[in-house]
């Protein structure tokens, strides 16, 4: 029986080849960047090392740790409360908790800066409503403020993965703990939480990658991070080599984090029995406890979503007549379908890679299949270079070939077309769909498939007919995350979008780069509203 | 299963049809005339001007909007196949860099040489300034008087300790100002100047030019160094509080008794491999025309480069000033040294 655990070698080879092909295709941009590690940095490296690096590195590390701790608290606790207890408005709160995801995080940063600005909403309320003579100014624009803003806009990554684990996987463990006499809190703390680690860490990794790759918010808040060094060496010091070198190092760091997480997990593969998919029975605590729980879940929502939303609605209301035009609807539509296509492609690829790795005998294939997730850690502009270099080689080759053999002068197929844009998005956001799907596939384990395999069902069929339905929630949450991220994406959109297509984020950028922050609010509101649709749908499906 | 297949096929068809390759060069020879503009400017009046150009000349304007650095990167990678016809940036330094990277070509246009004064365009004709912006001192009218101010250099004096607001050194306008300091006074003095400003800063640099003025209005400091058109934008902001901030600001043009106030231009050049070169030239000529220059000045509060056009009434109310006639190409050449000095003195 054990020898039949894997399919025969011929099938395995086909799958391996396909995996390698996909990894090469998606990995080409990353490899382009990683290869630069070997060519070394430019001459401004010494300058950067002497004057900037240490400071910037410390800032980045601080942000990474601070945001990790905050997002863990903000994500895991509410996830446990909404999964394990029942209290008023629980259903509503549990989907409101995802909403900060719909905000581009540079926008949360702007909104917070606006709220606590001199004569911002906060100070005006204090003066006008509470009649205070002197309001002490809250300076949000600093490293602590940045950590705060980032944590409140990124915690849903942790929340989503933790919640999907708690609500569908922890029933069995909780019952066992209860039989053995442990209280609910103890069971959570000593059994459920450790088991949830892979899921939570997957979400956390996204947070860390997002924090390290951010430039816009940090720049605005005057905090110099590692990414600042990348931009500085590239654009101010005119040395792309050094910038790419720095990005390659960032890639290696993320790779190190991923490998470390894997080895900490120690190759343990948790599989849960079918009872696991049963939903956790919710306990109804005493009413004052219910009120506390409600309050605890409301905090991340109000600070991560409602507060910045108030500022954005205020801005949108004063700039509406200036910014609104009917062309807005077509902009919404192009953002929407670009994000849909990207989401679809990303989950297909992630699903295939993870599934193929799971059934592969080869350790190399298993390792290779995680490589494409690195795209998320690299700042958008840098990944844009990684994308442009190989795709332009391909495009130019094609143009020259058709010119030479067919005497037909064609344009680029990838660059400046939707294909190129969607490809770029997929390279960048694969990681976002990868983690929820990976967690989900790990949870389902091998039992159903082994049974099907014994019955002679082919691997393709097993993937499509058994695994897709079993991992529906994982796939959907992957798709959702990619969707909202694509809606918000900026540098790749600007550089690679075809003429005549406008997206909401590009529209918002037009104003932001002109320091007309208030005018960005209307396109931002549309980004948020368009993001709400899939969030709402996903939440319903997760509850089924 | 079938559902998935059908969906896949649909998406495939959609992708194929929407991405059918079209040749830029081929299109240019066809009936629809067009010009592809890579621009770092993203102001509403620009869009107005583009539409006007389309109407007047029957040439369609395709716009790619991103920062100049990113656009240059795109052009470099695209090489000879680049569809770009025109590159527009918001500072001369970037145009100079584009010239050095061989991304632009020489343009011989009498209209342009007539419309754009010598010091506001490239000596060899690679690029032409379209609008001027000056980096000035703004002050809180209730706390500072004009006669306390004189030069950029004087801002390092003790009386301004903890009073100056200026954004980070990552900003190109600050880099150009620093480059002009280096060109005029030498590296050593420029470094001392930067250190002096750093010492006198009211807070560590952050935010935008507008944020610096808001901080002045709130009393965090007394002076800010900003570009003039941001004052205009505050004064016409939809937010009443921003307008109030604008009204509290006085504008001072420094170094009037010496070399003049530091200026920079936003300008354009024709891409080296421009598939629609003739249209590109027409386009830049149009932007330097009197009609277009008036729009730049009245809607975007930038100073026109065309000497035949008077600045808008608001700009005139700030007064006429003597500008630093330093060749703008120098700013580009010294940009890197400026950044290195900023880092050495620790101006974030």
């Amino acid at each position: 029986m054990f020898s039949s655990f894997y399919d025969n070698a011929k099938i395995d080879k086909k799958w391996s080849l396909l995996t390698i092909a996909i990894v090469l295709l998606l990995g080409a941009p990353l490899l382009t960047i990683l290869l630069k590690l070997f060519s070394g940095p430019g001459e401004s490296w010494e300058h950067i090392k002497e004057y900037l690096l240490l400071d910037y590195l410390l800032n980045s590390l601080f942000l990474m740790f601070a945001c990790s701790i905050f997002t863990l608290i903000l994500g895991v606790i509410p996830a446990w409360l909404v999964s394990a207890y029942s209290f008023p408005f629980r259903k509503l709160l549990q989907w409101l908790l995802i909403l900060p995801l719909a905000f581009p995080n540079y926008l949360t940063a702007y909104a917070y800066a606006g709220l606590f600005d001199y004569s911002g909403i906060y100070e005006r309320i204090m003066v006008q409503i509470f009649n205070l003579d002197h309001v002490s100014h809250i300076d949000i624009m600093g490293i602590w403020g940045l950590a705060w803003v980032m944590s409140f806009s990124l915690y849903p990554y942790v929340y989503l993965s933790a919640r999907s684990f708690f609500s569908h996987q922890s029933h069995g463990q909780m019952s066992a703990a209860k039989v053995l006499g442990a209280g609910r809190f103890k069971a959570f703390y000593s059994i459920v939480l450790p088991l949830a680690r892979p899921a939570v860490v997957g979400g956390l990794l996204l947070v860390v990658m997002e924090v390290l790759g951010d430039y816009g918010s940090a720049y605005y808040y005057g905090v110099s991070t590692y990414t600042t060094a990348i931009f500085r060496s590239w654009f101010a010091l005119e040395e792309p080599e050094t910038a790419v070198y720095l990005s390659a190092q960032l890639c290696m760091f993320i790779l190190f984090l991923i490998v470390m997480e894997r080895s900490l997990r120690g190759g343990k593969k948790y599989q849960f029995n079918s009872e696991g998919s049963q939903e956790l029975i919710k306990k109804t605590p005493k009413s004052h406890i219910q009120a506390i729980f409600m309050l605890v879940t409301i905090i991340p929502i109000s600070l991560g979503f409602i507060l910045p939303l108030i500022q954005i609605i205020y801005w949108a209301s004063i700039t509406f007549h200036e910014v609104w035009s009917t062309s807005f609807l077509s902009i919404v539509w192009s953002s929407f379908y670009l994000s849909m296509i990207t989401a679809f492609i990303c989950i297909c690829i992630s699903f295939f890679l993870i599934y193929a790795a799971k059934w592969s005998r080869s350790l190399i294939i298993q390792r290779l299949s995680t490589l494409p997730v690195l795209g998320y850690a690299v700042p958008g502009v840098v990944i844009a270079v990684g994308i442009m270099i190989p795709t332009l080689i391909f495009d130019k080759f094609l143009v020259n070939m058709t010119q030479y053999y067919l005497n037909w002068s064609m344009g680029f197929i990838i660059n400046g077309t939707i294909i190129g844009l969607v490809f770029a998005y997929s390279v960048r956001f694969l990681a976002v769909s990868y983690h929820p799907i990976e967690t989900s596939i790990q949870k389902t384990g091998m039992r159903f498939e082994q049974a099907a395999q014994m019955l002679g069902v082919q691997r393709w069929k097993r993937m499509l007919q058994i695994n897709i339905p079993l991992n529906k929630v994982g796939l959907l949450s992957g798709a959702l995350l990619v969707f909202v991220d694509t809606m918000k994406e900026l540098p790749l959109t600007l550089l690679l979008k075809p003429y005549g297509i406008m997206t909401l984020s590009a529209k918002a950028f037009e104003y932001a780069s002109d320091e007309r922050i208030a005018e960005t609010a209307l396109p931002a509101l549309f980004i948020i509203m368009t993001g709400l649709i899939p969030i709402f749908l996903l939440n319903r499906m997760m509850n089924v | 299963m079938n559902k998935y297949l059908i969906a896949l096929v649909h998406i495939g068809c959609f992708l194929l049809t929407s991405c059918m390759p079209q040749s830029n060069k081929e299109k240019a020879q066809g009936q629809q005339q067009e010009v592809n503009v890579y621009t770092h400017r993203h102001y509403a009046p620009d869009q107005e001007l583009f539409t006007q150009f389309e109407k007047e000349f029957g040439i369609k304007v395709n716009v790619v909007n991103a920062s100049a650095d990113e656009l240059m990167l795109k052009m470099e990678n695209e090489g000879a196949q680049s569809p770009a016809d025109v590159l527009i940036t918001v500072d001369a330094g970037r145009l100079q860099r584009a010239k050095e990277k061989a991304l632009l070509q020489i343009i011989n246009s009498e209209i342009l040489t007539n419309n754009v004064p010598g010091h506001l365009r490239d000596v060899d004709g690679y690029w032409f300034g379209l609008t001027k912006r000056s980096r000035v001192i703004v002050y809180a009218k209730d706390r500072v008087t004009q006669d306390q101010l004189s030069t950029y250099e004087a801002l390092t004096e003790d009386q301004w300790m903890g009073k100056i607001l200026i954004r980070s050194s990552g900003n190109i306008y600050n880099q150009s100002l620093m480059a002009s300091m280096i060109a005029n006074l030498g590296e050593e003095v420029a470094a001392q100047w930067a250190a002096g400003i750093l010492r006198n800063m009211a807070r560590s640099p952050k935010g935008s030019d507008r944020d610096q003025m808001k901080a002045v209005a709130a009393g965090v400091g007394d002076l800010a160094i900003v570009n003039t058109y941001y004052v205009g934008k505050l004064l016409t902001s939809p937010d009443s509080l921003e307008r109030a901030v604008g009204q509290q600001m006085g504008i001072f043009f420094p170094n009037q008794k010496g070399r003049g106030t530091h200026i920079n231009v936003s300008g354009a050049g024709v891409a080296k491999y421009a598939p629609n070169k003739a249209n590109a030239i027409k386009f830049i000529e149009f932007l330097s025309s009197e009609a277009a220059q008036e729009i730049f000045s009245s809607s975007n509060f930038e100073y026109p480069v065309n000497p035949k056009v008077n600045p808008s009434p608001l700009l005139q109310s700030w007064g006429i000033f003597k500008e630093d006639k330093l060749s703008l190409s120098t700013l580009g050449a010294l940009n890197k040294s400026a950044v290195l000095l900023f880092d050495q003195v620790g101006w974030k």
Side-chain angles (χ1 to χ4, degrees):
Chain A
M1 190 205 148
F2 283 104
S3 60
S4 70
F5 176 78
Y6 292 111
D7 295 294
N8 67 46
K10 213 170 126 197
I11 297 178
D12 205 43
K13 204 170 157 196
K14 266 196 225 159
W15 279 71
S16 300
L17 284 177
L18 196 54
T19 308
I20 291 172
I22 292 177
V23 170
L24 277 182
L25 187 68
L26 285 180
L30 290 158
L31 286 177
T32 313
I33 294 171
L34 283 177
L35 280 178
K36 300 278 180 178
L37 264 185
F38 300 104
S39 56
E43 52 189 57
S44 65
W45 174 242
E46 285 303 317
H47 170 82
I48 287 179
K49 228 167 51 180
E50 185 175 350
Y51 295 106
L52 312 175
L53 209 56
L54 182 67
D55 235 20
Y56 291 10
L57 212 57
L58 289 177
N59 282 346
S60 276
L61 287 175
F62 170 83
L63 281 174
M64 192 179 97
F65 284 114
C67 290
S68 299
I69 293 166
F70 288 155
T71 51
L72 274 179
I73 296 170
L74 292 171
V76 174
I77 296 175
W80 176 246
L81 294 182
V82 298
S83 324
Y85 298 95
S86 80
F87 48 88
F89 303 111
R90 188 190 62 84
K91 280 222 150 124
L92 179 70
L93 289 170
Q94 94 176 2
W95 89 270
L96 287 177
L97 275 164
I98 319 176
L99 295 190
L101 262 196
F103 270 91
N105 74 42
Y106 59 88
L107 214 85
T108 317
Y110 286 149
Y112 261 99
L115 277 169
F116 294 103
D117 204 353
Y118 304 102
S119 68
I121 290 180
Y122 161 77
E123 293 192 359
R124 263 186 269 177
I125 287 177
M126 287 299 163
V127 172
Q128 285 165 10
I129 299 181
F130 298 103
N131 272 326
L132 296 176
D133 302 330
H134 179 74
V135 188
S136 58
H137 177 69
I138 297 180
D139 189 9
I140 191 90
M141 287 167 83
I143 194 161
W144 281 99
L146 187 62
W148 171 279
V149 166
M150 291 262 224
S151 304
F152 276 101
S153 64
L154 297 173
Y155 80 83
Y157 286 123
V158 176
Y159 166 76
L160 267 178
S161 42
R163 189 185 99 190
S164 109
F165 183 88
F166 293 151
S167 60
H168 294 286
Q169 295 301 329
S170 41
H171 174 71
Q173 302 141 26
M174 286 303 286
S175 329
K178 201 175 164 190
V179 170
L180 296 171
R184 219 168 168 80
F185 178 75
K186 183 155 189 231
F188 168 69
Y189 183 75
S190 53
I191 297 179
V192 179
L193 205 53
L195 283 173
R197 209 189 69 208
V200 171
V201 169
L204 199 58
L205 213 52
L206 290 177
V207 172
V208 168
M209 289 202 238
E210 186 107 25
V211 169
L212 292 178
D214 168 80
Y215 179 64
S217 328
Y219 178 71
Y220 188 64
Y221 276 38
V223 177
S224 306
T225 62
Y226 191 79
T227 315
T228 316
I230 296 179
F231 277 74
R232 206 169 181 91
S233 54
W234 189 336
F235 296 130
L237 300 173
E238 298 170 46
E239 256 183 30
E241 305 86 21
T242 311
V244 177
Y245 183 77
L246 286 164
S247 320
Q249 287 187 331
L250 189 61
C251 264
M252 294 307 288
F253 178 67
I254 297 288
L255 199 61
F256 166 74
L257 287 184
I258 294 175
V259 170
M260 209 171 69
E261 199 279 320
R262 302 253 143 129
S263 63
L264 271 179
R265 222 190 287 164
K268 270 175 253 160
K269 284 187 179 148
Y270 302 112
Q271 291 185 17
F272 305 99
N273 55 25
S274 52
E275 275 169 298
S277 59
Q278 212 172 317
E279 206 166 316
L280 194 61
I281 296 162
K282 291 181 182 64
K283 194 177 156 187
T284 315
K286 286 190 191 114
S287 59
H288 67 277
I289 306 261
Q290 283 186 20
I292 293 174
F293 285 177
M294 214 166 79
L295 214 65
V296 170
T297 46
I298 287 174
I299 291 172
I301 301 169
S302 36
L303 295 179
F305 185 74
I306 298 171
L307 205 58
L309 188 68
I310 290 173
Q311 178 69 47
I312 285 175
I313 290 177
Y314 167 71
W315 275 335
S317 70
I318 57 174
T319 56
F320 181 82
H321 62 282
E322 222 178 301
V323 181
W324 169 257
S325 73
T326 42
S327 65
F328 242 89
L329 294 175
S330 71
I331 298 175
V332 171
W333 169 238
S334 41
S335 291
F336 185 81
Y337 77 74
L338 279 172
S339 308
M340 282 305 260
I341 297 174
T342 309
F344 181 72
I345 290 176
C346 278
I347 58 169
C348 289
I349 294 174
S350 302
F351 186 69
F352 175 83
L353 285 178
I354 296 160
Y355 186 77
K358 177 169 140 181
W359 280 91
S360 175
R361 278 170 230 247
S362 148
L363 203 65
I364 298 173
I365 294 289
Q366 290 176 16
R367 293 275 177 277
L368 260 186
S369 69
T370 54
L371 188 67
V373 307
L374 286 178
Y376 197 56
V378 185
V381 182
V382 179
I383 207 84
V385 185
I387 285 165
M388 274 196 268
I389 293 172
T391 56
L392 276 160
I393 291 174
F394 174 80
D395 267 343
K396 285 179 188 169
F397 172 76
L398 217 61
V399 168
N400 291 335
M401 291 301 273
T402 49
Q403 184 84 51
Y404 187 78
Y405 289 107
L406 306 171
N407 199 19
W408 172 51
S409 146
M410 60 181 273
F412 291 164
I413 288 190
I414 299 179
N415 279 274
T417 67
I418 293 183
I419 298 182
L421 188 56
V422 170
F423 173 68
Y425 283 152
S426 310
V427 170
R428 180 132 173 79
F429 294 131
L430 194 77
V432 178
S433 62
Y434 195 92
H435 291 291
I437 297 175
E438 191 188 26
T439 328
S440 163
I441 288 186
Q442 272 167 2
K443 279 186 323 202
T444 31
M446 300 288 233
R447 294 180 330 121
F448 296 108
E449 279 208 70
Q450 279 162 354
Q453 192 199 18
M454 301 275 277
L455 295 170
V457 181
Q458 281 180 339
R459 203 193 282 187
W460 271 112
K461 280 199 171 163
R462 295 204 304 267
M463 178 171 97
L464 295 175
Q465 296 180 342
I466 299 178
N467 269 283
I468 286 184
L470 273 179
N471 295 299
K472 202 177 75 189
V473 175
L475 285 166
L476 283 170
S477 51
L480 163 80
L481 293 176
V482 176
F483 180 91
V484 283
D485 258 339
T486 313
M487 290 284 296
K488 301 183 284 189
E489 205 286 333
L490 206 46
L492 294 176
T493 315
L494 292 178
L495 283 175
L496 300 168
K497 83 180 167 59
Y499 300 129
I501 287 191
M502 192 62 180
T503 70
L504 288 167
S505 56
K507 192 81 191 161
F509 168 79
E510 269 183 33
Y511 296 111
S513 62
D514 190 22
E515 302 193 0
R516 296 163 75 188
I517 307 291
E519 280 87 341
T520 60
L522 193 63
L525 261 184
F526 275 93
I527 296 180
I528 295 160
M529 289 187 313
T530 320
L532 288 185
I533 301 166
I535 290 179
F536 180 72
L537 289 179
L538 170 84
N539 190 67
R540 287 193 51 165
M541 288 181 208
M542 279 176 85
N543 280 333
V544 173
Chain B
M1 188 55 225
N2 271 334
K3 264 192 298 184
Y4 292 114
L5 259 180
I6 292 168
L8 259 179
V9 169
H10 271 110
I11 289 173
C13 289
F14 172 73
L15 276 176
L16 274 178
T17 48
S18 56
C19 312
M20 286 307 275
Q22 283 171 304
S23 161
N24 301 304
K25 313 231 172 195
E26 212 171 58
K27 266 197 278 176
Q29 290 148 9
Q31 273 153 13
Q32 171 68 47
Q33 288 281 311
E34 60 180 3
V35 60
N36 301 321
V37 180
Y38 282 21
T39 176
H40 187 163
R41 292 176 57 97
H42 9 244
Y43 311 121
D46 286 32
Q47 200 48 54
E48 239 170 78
L49 284 171
F50 297 168
T51 323
Q52 214 170 313
F53 176 77
E54 285 179 343
K55 269 192 205 142
E56 218 166 290
F57 292 84
I59 299 169
K60 191 169 182 320
V61 181
N62 297 317
V63 180
V64 175
N65 222 320
S67 82
D69 292 312
E70 291 165 345
L71 293 169
M72 276 154 60
L73 171 79
K74 190 168 155 85
M75 288 168 77
E76 253 179 285
N77 281 320
E78 287 164 345
Q81 269 91 11
S82 173
D85 292 310
V86 176
L87 173 70
I88 303 181
T89 74
V90 291
D91 73 302
R94 289 294 184 275
L95 285 167
Q96 187 62 22
R97 198 182 286 177
K99 174 188 170 187
E100 280 160 17
K101 287 187 169 173
L103 297 174
L104 302 178
Q105 57 176 302
I106 298 178
I107 296 304
N108 291 309
S109 154
E110 211 173 302
I111 300 182
L112 283 174
T113 38
N114 282 336
N115 285 350
V116 184
H119 70 288
L120 300 177
R121 59 180 144 88
D122 180 47
V123 260
D124 305 316
Y126 279 95
W127 54 261
F128 299 86
L130 292 172
T131 65
K132 269 187 299 192
R133 37 281 288 283
S134 57
R135 202 148 179 80
V136 299
I137 303 173
V138 296
Y139 57 92
K141 280 189 215 162
D142 54 340
R143 276 166 275 151
V144 178
T145 54
Q146 289 256 2
D147 46 279
Q148 285 174 274
L149 299 163
S150 57
T151 59
Y152 295 111
E153 294 88 306
L155 295 179
T156 59
E157 288 166 5
D158 287 343
Q159 61 164 323
W160 303 119
M161 183 93 83
K163 303 270 190 235
I164 297 177
L165 286 142
I166 185 164
R167 65 198 289 186
S168 81
S169 64
N171 172 252
I172 183 71
Y173 305 133
N174 279 349
Q175 291 168 10
S176 289
L177 176 62
M178 184 67 173
S180 84
M181 289 303 223
I182 297 174
N184 285 311
L185 308 169
E187 279 210 9
E188 207 174 310
V189 182
Q192 282 164 10
W193 175 78
I197 295 286
L198 181 68
R199 186 193 64 146
N200 284 353
M201 280 183 194
R203 64 174 187 196
S204 82
K206 57 185 146 194
S208 61
D209 272 10
R210 290 183 193 220
D211 291 326
Q212 312 308 323
M213 288 187 269
K214 285 184 190 169
V216 170
V220 179
D222 291 343
L223 307 173
I225 301 177
V226 298
N227 279 5
T228 36
Y229 58 90
Y230 288 120
V231 184
K233 290 194 172 170
L234 278 184
L235 285 170
T236 53
S237 164
D239 188 337
S240 59
L241 282 156
E242 285 203 331
R243 288 197 296 275
V245 170
Q247 278 148 10
Q248 291 172 52
M249 297 299 122
I251 292 182
F252 183 81
F253 293 97
N255 297 66
Q256 288 303 295
K257 292 194 180 125
R259 62 180 185 267
T261 302
H262 167 67
I263 57 152
N264 205 332
V265 291
S266 167
V270 175
K272 185 171 183 194
Y273 301 105
N276 311 294
K277 183 177 169 185
N279 295 349
I281 298 174
K282 263 187 232 166
F283 179 74
I284 302 178
E285 286 173 349
F286 168 78
L287 293 179
S288 73
S289 71
E290 289 169 46
Q293 291 280 306
E294 243 154 54
I295 293 183
F296 280 137
S297 172
S298 61
S299 322
N300 212 41
F301 315 109
E302 293 171 280
Y303 289 92
V305 289
N306 191 329
K308 280 167 266 174
V309 179
N310 285 324
S312 70
L314 177 64
L315 298 191
Q316 285 183 22
S317 74
W318 295 337
I320 346 168
F321 65 98
K322 177 178 165 191
E323 54 191 62
D324 187 349
K325 287 269 169 32
L326 179 72
S327 155
L328 293 176
S329 313
T330 320
L331 297 182
L334 290 173
N335 187 273
K336 189 172 173 174
S337 323
V339 175
L340 294 175
L341 284 185
F342 273 140
D343 285 343
Q344 280 161 24
V345 302
W347 182 331
K348 277 206 282 188

